[in-house]
Amino acid sequence: MVAAAQTGAPKKNPLKAIISGGLAGGIEIMITYPTEFVKTKMQLYPDLAKKGIMFCANDTIKKHGIIGLYRGQSVLILFSVPKVAARFGANEYLKQHYFTDKNNRYHTFCAGLGAGIFEAITVVTPSETIKVKLIHDLLLDQPKFRGLIHGCTSISKQYGISGLYKGLVPTILKQGSNQGIRFLVYGDVNKQLQALGCNQIVSSLLASGFAGICSTLANTPVDVIKTNMQGLNAGKYKNWFDCAAHIAKNEGLKGFYKGTVARLSRVVADVAITFTLFEQISKGLNYVWPDKH
């Protein structure tokens, strides 16, 4: 293993990755949130999931208008910035200190895996718990939360710290595999496309979109388990294994793939926008804040 500093290459500052990731994450969630709302709705309500993504979206619009697809968005905007910042910052740190061979695919995967685990523990699990409960509450006939602040404080008081970390194991599995797969696939495909003469921005969009497809198909069952464990009915599950058994018993194998199409549309756009924006914002920062050798 040869570190960047030893090869004479500029040593990247993880703080720049944090800033670039945070900005990219904030912009991305404002664009893609409706698909996240529909995906969560389908995973919480199996009967709706059977009717498809368009029915769920139209059902929401009929009842609440187009703005209904953005209900609960504020919590994801609030947490998306630190989530993506933690992801790219941790990935850069791990690449500099532990997995330093950028040409080694195992190193690329492990750095992504570690970044996913880090974001799952520090940001994603509590924010996803709040998000799922807020969306679940919004779907009730008589929602009890009066907005983001009231919802967050009520959920925190009712469930405590341990409640906010409900579903930690499946979230770690989901985020770890997500980022391990995404960083690996993105790096490989992006290199291949650029070698073929593809425009840098186009290659970044295509490579990251494909990385999103791969990660979604690989771990949607874990995402379904996570969502159910973080909903308002989470108390009926003893643990994530019990939740999985409950889904298998009542819905069969297809129950683990509820909302797959909605999640695909969400994740592909998410990863494509986030990775591409991250690259472009990082370039902009490099002009005013060059990396040191």
Side-chain angles (χ1 to χ4, degrees):
M1 295 187 295
V2 182
Q6 292 175 305
T7 63
K11 187 176 182 180
K12 294 183 179 180
N13 189 332
L15 181 58
K16 286 201 291 186
I18 291 173
I19 294 171
S20 299
L23 289 172
I27 295 170
E28 174 274 320
I29 198 60
M30 288 190 284
I31 297 172
T32 65
Y33 183 76
T35 56
E36 175 67 18
F37 181 88
V38 173
K39 184 263 306 184
T40 303
K41 183 176 181 178
M42 291 176 72
Q43 290 180 341
L44 290 171
Y45 293 93
D47 290 339
L48 285 177
K50 294 175 183 177
K51 297 179 180 179
I53 182 173
M54 292 308 298
F55 176 86
C56 288
N58 289 330
D59 179 64
T60 300
I61 294 171
K62 284 180 182 178
K63 292 178 179 177
H64 306 283
I66 193 71
I67 197 69
L69 293 173
Y70 288 88
R71 294 190 302 166
Q73 185 191 40
S74 51
V75 69
L76 275 199
I77 292 177
L78 178 66
F79 287 111
S80 186
V81 172
K83 177 184 76 172
V84 183
R87 176 189 310 162
F88 282 98
N91 181 257
E92 193 59 50
Y93 180 85
L94 290 170
K95 287 194 297 182
Q96 283 190 27
H97 296 277
Y98 298 99
F99 305 105
T100 56
D101 187 351
K102 64 181 181 180
N103 295 315
N104 186 314
R105 299 175 78 247
Y106 171 75
H107 280 216
T108 302
F109 176 80
C110 287
L113 176 69
I117 292 172
F118 179 75
E119 69 172 344
I121 295 172
T122 57
V123 183
V124 177
T125 302
S127 68
E128 283 287 298
T129 298
I130 292 172
K131 178 209 75 176
V132 172
K133 290 186 187 304
L134 284 175
I135 291 178
H136 202 169
D137 180 71
L138 287 168
L139 296 173
L140 299 177
D141 292 332
Q142 295 182 324
K144 63 180 181 180
F145 301 138
R146 298 191 298 271
L148 173 62
I149 296 176
H150 179 251
C152 288
T153 54
S154 298
I155 291 169
S156 299
K157 286 180 181 178
Q158 182 176 350
Y159 298 97
I161 296 297
S162 61
L164 292 179
Y165 274 86
K166 192 81 171 177
L168 175 62
V169 172
T171 303
I172 287 176
L173 292 174
K174 174 197 168 188
Q175 294 304 119
S177 59
N178 266 349
Q179 306 318 326
I181 293 169
R182 289 173 188 174
F183 278 102
L184 175 61
V185 173
Y186 173 77
D188 282 355
V189 176
N190 196 33
K191 286 179 184 177
Q192 294 296 325
L193 289 173
Q194 290 194 28
L196 293 172
C198 190
N199 175 276
Q200 192 171 33
I201 294 179
V202 174
S203 68
S204 181
L205 283 169
L206 292 175
S208 51
F210 183 66
I213 292 173
C214 293
S215 65
T216 299
L217 295 178
N219 64 17
T220 287
V222 177
D223 187 53
V224 172
I225 294 170
K226 176 199 73 67
T227 298
N228 279 271
M229 287 195 68
Q230 293 172 332
L232 296 176
N233 298 323
K236 67 182 182 181
Y237 305 120
K238 298 176 183 177
N239 48 49
W240 69 272
F241 187 78
D242 180 56
C243 180
H246 186 274
I247 294 171
K249 180 180 178 181
N250 292 283
E251 302 172 52
L253 182 62
K254 63 181 180 181
F256 290 101
Y257 288 89
K258 292 178 295 185
T260 299
V261 175
R263 186 173 180 234
L264 265 174
S265 60
R266 155 86 170 99
V267 170
V268 170
D270 166 359
V271 181
I273 293 170
T274 302
F275 271 76
T276 304
L277 281 176
F278 174 80
E279 294 284 353
Q280 298 307 309
I281 294 171
S282 295
K283 283 183 180 179
L285 282 177
N286 284 336
Y287 281 111
V288 296
W289 187 3
D291 290 320
K292 295 181 180 180
H293 286 268

